[in-house]
Amino acid sequence: MQKQTIIVTGGCGYIGSHTAVALQQAGYNVVIFDCCVNSTPETLDRITEITGVRPDFEHVDLTDALATHNAFEKHPHACGVIHFAALKAVGESVAQPVRYYRNNLTSLLNVLNMMVELNIPNIVFSSSATVYGNPTELPATEQTPLQPATSPYGQTKLMAEQIIRDTVAAHPNMHAVLLRYFNPIGAHPSGKIGELPNGVPNNLMPYILQVAAGWREKLNVFGNDYQTPDGFCVRDYIDINDLVDAHIAALQYMSHQENNIDVFNIGTGHGLSVMEIIRAFENATGVKIKYEIAPRRAGDVPAIYACANLAQEKLGWCAKIPVTETMKSAWLWQQNISDKKQG
Ligand code: UDP
């Protein structure tokens, strides 16, 4: 049987690269579209090392309509797009709103335009738990009211969801699954691919890893006086390998999807505090993390974690990987990139 082709935009990035591996291993033909502004084409070599198959690759800036057109025209028989390509640094988006709106929304519009033109029916979109803001209830379900965004980054996710909703409403042959990710962490168990932040990491896990590797002196823990069980912020940290499996499940679901569009929370259903994450890392790896309590970070919500029952019910998906394993894969990846940096 002919393999189905999936276009993975942003496939050289953190989530995209793990998804490309999982797709290949699930029997799909993968085409990566990426301009590598925040990633590296070397990821293609790593994917090839893991799976034995080199994904097709188009070096394309998706904000460029003509370039997007030309890239899609080479793959007219693709049956779906998983759209990851986007800028994602919350603080940077506050400082550079025009760049964020232009990049994240223009690229989506160009992708959707080509999907309509070529009759590519399925899109899986990487949305975010940020759409719930400071949630009105916990755990957050897909019905939990959406909140006004607190950053241009968050606003691009809300707007992208609406753009996709309107597009599939106008084109009944199209199907969409919006996956609202909670906090993805960890790396492929081979340690060959993982998260590669530019400069000082914004996110907790890469920061912990860089402290553990001696790249940074200590972690600043943002706030210890929240109204949470131990006073630290609580998030739903989901292993990247579990998270990417949700995309495979979504594609399979789309072959018999009754609605034109569905939304799923992709989280574990359990919250962990910043201190619990530090301890989990230390217990899994034996490496101590030096930290200091720092003031709260503007815009952080005290607690958010998912109700992921809908994904379990409809996609047959749930998170399975214990946090100890996640910490080990993350550390293996960090050690690999530290060796390279030194070598
Ligand atoms: N955090 C921290 N120190 C850091 C980075 C993050 O204490 O250097 C905390 C942050 O306040 C939040 C949690 O770690 O409570 C997760 O932050 P992250 O930026 O990874 O994800 P977010 O949930 O904010 O998108």
Side-chain angles (χ1 to χ4, degrees), residues 198-201 206-207 210-219 290:
N198 274 339
V200 183
Y207 210 107
Q210 294 193 5
V211 172
W215 293 12
R216 304 197 184 273
E217 193 210 334
K218 61 173 181 344
L219 170 75
K290 192 170 165 201

Side-chain angles (χ1 to χ4, degrees), residues 183 202-204 219-222 233 235 237 274 297 300:
N183 290 56
N202 295 306
N203 297 114
L204 177 63
L219 170 75
N220 287 309
V221 172
F222 299 138
C233 283
R235 298 286 182 274
Y237 296 92
V274 173
R297 182 172 68 176
D300 274 343

Side-chain angles (χ1 to χ4, degrees), residues 149-222:
T150 54
S151 70
Y153 162 77
Q155 187 65 29
T156 66
K157 291 295 177 193
L158 281 167
M159 291 168 85
E161 286 199 0
Q162 190 59 45
I163 289 168
I164 294 171
R165 219 175 271 287
D166 293 343
T167 304
V168 299
H171 300 279
N173 62 323
M174 285 185 82
H175 288 265
V177 168
L178 310 179
L179 299 179
R180 292 182 180 151
Y181 308 150
F182 282 66
N183 290 56
I185 60 168
H188 191 266
S190 66
K192 289 182 193 293
I193 51 173
E195 191 171 10
L196 198 62
N198 274 339
V200 183
N202 295 306
N203 297 114
L204 177 63
M205 200 61 221
Y207 210 107
I208 288 178
L209 294 169
Q210 294 193 5
V211 172
W215 293 12
R216 304 197 184 273
E217 193 210 334
K218 61 173 181 344
L219 170 75
N220 287 309
V221 172
F222 299 138

Side-chain angles (χ1 to χ4, degrees), residues 26-146:
Y28 291 94
N29 184 37
V30 174
V31 184
I32 289 178
F33 286 8
D34 208 314
C35 65
C36 295
V37 63
N38 272 336
S39 61
T40 157
E42 273 177 36
T43 304
L44 298 167
D45 301 334
R46 304 288 100 76
I47 295 170
T48 312
E49 279 175 35
I50 295 170
T51 65
V53 181
R54 194 170 184 84
D56 275 349
F57 176 60
E58 303 294 342
H59 189 277
V60 53
D61 176 354
L62 296 170
T63 64
D64 178 336
L66 181 60
T68 306
H69 181 274
N70 292 341
F72 267 91
E73 288 258 285
K74 291 194 204 165
H75 306 278
H77 302 299
C79 69
V81 175
I82 307 185
H83 184 53
F84 294 110
L87 299 174
K88 62 168 190 177
V90 175
E92 191 180 66
S93 80
V94 175
Q96 303 173 14
V98 176
R99 179 168 168 242
Y100 268 68
Y101 286 117
R102 178 175 178 278
N103 187 86
N104 292 6
L105 298 179
T106 311
S107 57
L108 173 65
L109 292 170
N110 286 337
V111 165
L112 289 172
N113 188 46
M114 286 313 299
M115 290 180 69
V116 171
E117 191 170 320
L118 296 176
N119 238 330
I120 299 175
N122 301 317
I123 180 163
V124 179
F125 177 67
S126 47
S127 189
S128 164
T130 191
V131 298
Y132 300 119
N134 190 6
T136 52
E137 58 187 355
L138 284 174
T141 75
E142 291 79 358
Q143 302 306 318
T144 298
L146 305 186

